[in-house]
Each structure stands twice: as structure tokens, then as C-alpha cells.
Amino acid sequence: GAVVSQHPSWVICKSGTSVKIECRSLDFQATTMFWYRQFPKQSLMLMATSNEGSKATYEQGVEKDKFLINHASLTLSTLTVTSAHPEDSSFYICSAVEGVEDNQPQHFGDGTRLSIL
Amino acid sequence: RKEVEQDPGPFNVPEGATVAFNCTYSNSASQSFFWYRQDCRKEPKLLMSVYSSGNEDGRFTAQLNRASQYISLLIRDSKLSDSATYLCVAYKLSFGAGTTVTVRA
């Protein structure tokens, strides 16, 4: 149980392209999903918290106009990196929590490796 | 100061050895703790939750020390497949940078 699917797993794009990443909870409803970014040999950095039916909450320093998040349903959240540049190249991972209790673990998607040329 | 800190390692251990490492957290209000395992270029996978009384899952034992604000993970009888980076999480949503463990034959 608790499977999270993330797509695509690898993207290579030219600078200036917008890239959409999907995160789906396959066998449970996720009121809340999270988006992380991870640079090589560094920890996961929370970018934003995505709540179904409402605006995402962004962490300090994360540009909301750059990283558009849409949580359209209880099983789908999308992250769009708008006008991506080489410095946006990173490993982007989503996670979802089943239920609303704080003691529930996060279940991660496979991650999306984004490379901007 | 980071909310969650880990010794990055690497811990290089022979197969069959026991390896243990800690993770300190700064937010005393944290209530939930987890250990995740992350293989190179892959997503983190939940290894185990950490309970106040300590818990064991096969060869893995997790402990929580609230007084000193750290959690620990102990791996007994290390296998080659245990080689990975181990991330600790203190809620809310603070990940450590990970401890790299390499088990050699």
C-alpha cells in the first residue's frame, strides 16, 4: 500500500522551457503532498506544501511564480517549473501523507531528475 | 543551526558488522521521527518509525532520546545491500542530510 507515482522520471530540456511534473497517490487519498528538491550530496529541501483545493504554501526563498503547484484532486499534485534555467537542474521529489495526523510517515514518489541545458 | 543534523559518514564496515549512528534535532516540540533509506539517485524509502520506547525491525533498531534530543539507528549483521544513505526526519518535515553507510565484502 501507500504507493506514490511521479512522472516523468527524467527530463532534459532547453533553457526557457516550462516543465510539468506530476505526483499521484495511487492507492490512498492524500490531503497534503509535499515537493522537495535535492542537490547532489545534500539533504532534501522542502519547497512547498500542497493542499488539495487550496493554494500551496511555499518555503522561504522559493519563488511561487517560478514553481507553480496545483493540487487538483486528492490524488494528484503537479509542479510546473516555469521558464527553467540550468540552475533549476536538480532532483525533484514529491511525497504524500495518508491522513492528517502528524505521526504519519511520508511516502515518496520516484523523483524527477531535471536537467536544463 | 540546522534543525536536524547527521554525521555524513561515510561509515565503511565489513559485512556482518554492527554499525550505529545518531541524528540530533533542535526542535524539542518534534513528536514524530522516522528513518529513511535513500539509494544513490533514487527516492527515499521509509525504513522505520521511531517510537519513544525504542523499536526493532529485524536487524534494525531505532532509539529516541528526548532528553538529549537525538535518535539513533543501529544495524546488526550488516549486509552488502544495506549500503545506502540513511536520512532521519523529525517532524515537521525536517530531514537530515543523511549518513552514508558502505558495507564491504
Side-chain angles (χ1 to χ4, degrees):
Chain A
V3 176
V4 176
S5 172
Q6 189 172 339
H7 176 81
S9 57
W10 201 301
V11 183
I12 301 176
C13 291
K14 292 181 179 179
S15 186
T17 307
S18 291
V19 179
K20 179 188 276 189
I21 303 169
E22 292 188 350
C23 180
R24 294 180 184 272
S25 56
L26 297 185
D27 53 358
F28 66 99
Q29 294 187 329
T31 310
T32 304
M33 291 185 173
F34 306 97
W35 288 96
Y36 293 86
R37 181 166 55 182
Q38 186 177 35
F39 292 105
K41 298 188 178 182
Q42 293 188 25
S43 66
L44 291 166
M45 297 300 297
L46 180 65
M47 299 175 66
T49 302
S50 169
N51 295 293
E52 186 267 338
S54 63
K55 291 183 178 180
T57 303
Y58 290 82
E59 295 300 301
Q60 191 173 11
V62 178
E63 301 175 56
K64 61 181 180 181
D65 294 330
K66 172 79 173 177
F67 300 98
L68 300 178
I69 291 173
N70 186 307
H71 197 146
S73 74
L74 286 171
T75 60
L76 173 64
S77 176
T78 61
L79 167 68
T80 302
V81 184
T82 61
S83 187
H85 292 285
E87 59 267 27
D88 298 322
S89 299
S90 187
F91 189 46
Y92 292 84
I93 313 175
C94 72
S95 72
V97 178
E98 187 175 8
V100 298
E101 298 298 326
D102 281 354
N103 61 354
Q104 296 299 312
Q106 298 175 57
H107 301 282
F108 287 86
D110 294 338
T112 297
R113 203 159 296 281
L114 177 62
S115 297
I116 305 299
L117 306 178
Chain B
R1 182 185 172 188
K2 294 180 182 177
E3 290 194 33
V4 177
E5 297 203 54
Q6 293 183 248
D7 181 344
F11 288 76
N12 295 307
V13 299
E15 208 172 358
T18 296
V19 60
F21 40 89
N22 295 338
C23 166
T24 59
Y25 61 94
S26 60
N27 187 353
S28 59
S30 295
Q31 295 294 321
S32 302
F33 306 90
F34 304 93
W35 281 105
Y36 282 80
R37 170 199 170 119
Q38 186 175 27
D39 293 296
C40 187
R41 302 168 76 85
K42 296 286 187 68
E43 81 281 12
K45 291 189 184 295
L46 179 66
L47 182 64
M48 59 198 303
S49 303
V50 185
Y51 303 122
S52 297
S53 55
N55 49 302
E56 191 174 304
D57 184 359
R59 298 181 292 107
F60 298 84
T61 300
Q63 298 277 357
L64 167 62
N65 185 317
R66 285 196 184 276
S68 301
Q69 292 187 201
Y70 72 86
I71 62 173
S72 64
L73 181 66
L74 182 146
I75 308 172
R76 285 186 300 278
D77 188 22
S78 299
K79 310 291 184 190
L80 296 177
S81 57
D82 294 333
S83 298
T85 296
Y86 292 85
L87 307 172
C88 69
V89 181
Y91 267 35
K92 287 213 183 184
L93 307 175
S94 295
F95 277 84
T99 297
T100 298
V101 173
T102 302
V103 181
R104 62 182 188 275

